[in-house]
Amino acid sequence: MYTHSTAKQIAHLVRKIDSGIVYQFGDANFHPNMMQYYKSQIPYLTAPRTAKDLWEELGFTWSTTNRKADIVVGAHYLESTMDIVPRLKEIYARGKVNSYIVIACTTGLSQGYLSIQPNFWLNIAHNNDIEIPYMSICDGRSQHHVHVDSSQEMYKHSQLTDLTHKFVECREMITNITIKKLSTKELVCPQ
């Protein structure tokens, strides 16, 4: 979860919200050797050693309780199952109204069981009361980033291949998405 591309996603997020409660699903590896990437995106960081340290240094309170959170981090929670809909609903339910949900998931070949395509997220956005302020696709080393227009209803396969033309030799791509929950309505997912 905490990779090169997540640094850009979190830098974008902390410009939208500067304090609150953070809840993280699952165990996300935070490698201190990634610190150079986080410091390039968020220069005022000192040297967090864990994900909890990172969020607390950014001004947030780390939560392990069942309280509703202002930021919900999906970590690898969606990648380790074949049935992501119940887990996505669980992540969604953990946030307050106007909370942000931070997800980094695989698109293409990966170590997980499944990869989630951009059209899945666009379908969720158009069938629910949510907003997508940040959505990008990048290669595993975060050398190439493509920002996805979340106002588009769906992409045709040819449009996706054109959008990701820089990734011809990549076997692994990561989609970073930040979702803003706008109401208490239950999340409707594609079946």
Side-chain angles (χ1 to χ4, degrees), residues 128-148:
N128 291 282
D129 197 13
I130 65 170
E131 177 183 305
I132 299 178
Y134 184 90
M135 185 173 179
S136 77
I137 300 173
C138 70
D139 62 317
R141 289 193 246 179
S142 194
Q143 292 177 339
H144 304 291
H145 275 269
V146 175
H147 291 279
V148 179

Side-chain angles (χ1 to χ4, degrees), residues 80-115:
S80 59
T81 183
M82 291 295 283
D83 191 10
I84 66 166
V85 171
R87 287 193 178 186
L88 188 57
K89 287 182 178 186
E90 186 180 357
I91 290 170
Y92 185 80
R94 180 65 66 160
K96 301 175 182 176
V97 173
N98 291 322
S99 64
Y100 292 90
I101 299 165
V102 178
I103 296 171
C105 62
T106 54
T107 303
L109 296 179
S110 71
Q111 294 177 354
Y113 300 124
L114 147 99
S115 67

Side-chain angles (χ1 to χ4, degrees), residues 67-184:
R67 292 174 58 187
K68 297 272 186 179
D70 298 294
I71 296 177
V72 181
V73 181
H76 296 291
Y77 196 57
L78 294 178
E79 293 177 5
S80 59
T81 183
M82 291 295 283
D83 191 10
I84 66 166
V85 171
R87 287 193 178 186
L88 188 57
K89 287 182 178 186
E90 186 180 357
I91 290 170
Y92 185 80
R94 180 65 66 160
K96 301 175 182 176
V97 173
N98 291 322
S99 64
Y100 292 90
I101 299 165
V102 178
I103 296 171
C105 62
T106 54
T107 303
L109 296 179
S110 71
Q111 294 177 354
Y113 300 124
L114 147 99
S115 67
I116 304 168
Q117 304 305 317
N119 283 337
F120 177 80
W121 300 113
L122 296 174
N123 184 293
I124 287 176
H126 291 288
N127 291 321
N128 291 282
D129 197 13
I130 65 170
E131 177 183 305
I132 299 178
Y134 184 90
M135 185 173 179
S136 77
I137 300 173
C138 70
D139 62 317
R141 289 193 246 179
S142 194
Q143 292 177 339
H144 304 291
H145 275 269
V146 175
H147 291 279
V148 179
D149 180 8
S150 62
S151 66
Q152 188 161 332
E153 191 166 327
M154 295 292 264
Y155 282 94
K156 294 178 183 174
H157 181 71
S158 60
Q159 291 173 305
L160 284 173
T161 55
D162 287 345
L163 185 67
T164 58
H165 72 277
K166 294 179 182 177
F167 307 115
V168 174
E169 297 177 6
C170 294
R171 293 184 177 189
E172 180 180 350
M173 293 185 290
I174 299 169
T175 300
N176 293 88
I177 184 164
T178 303
I179 297 170
K180 184 173 183 182
K181 180 178 179 177
L182 299 176
S183 75
T184 57

Side-chain angles (χ1 to χ4, degrees), residues 11-59:
H12 180 268
L13 179 63
V14 296
R15 287 192 296 272
K16 298 201 169 285
I17 182 172
D18 60 0
S19 64
I21 298 169
V22 173
Y23 183 87
Q24 179 173 301
F25 278 87
D27 182 28
N29 296 332
F30 183 82
H31 300 287
N33 61 347
M34 291 283 180
M35 207 56 236
Q36 63 183 348
Y37 302 106
Y38 279 83
K39 286 189 75 63
S40 71
Q41 298 298 320
I42 311 168
Y44 56 87
L45 286 177
T46 53
R49 305 294 296 164
T50 65
K52 178 183 178 192
D53 293 343
L54 171 72
W55 287 104
E56 288 178 350
E57 196 171 315
L58 292 172

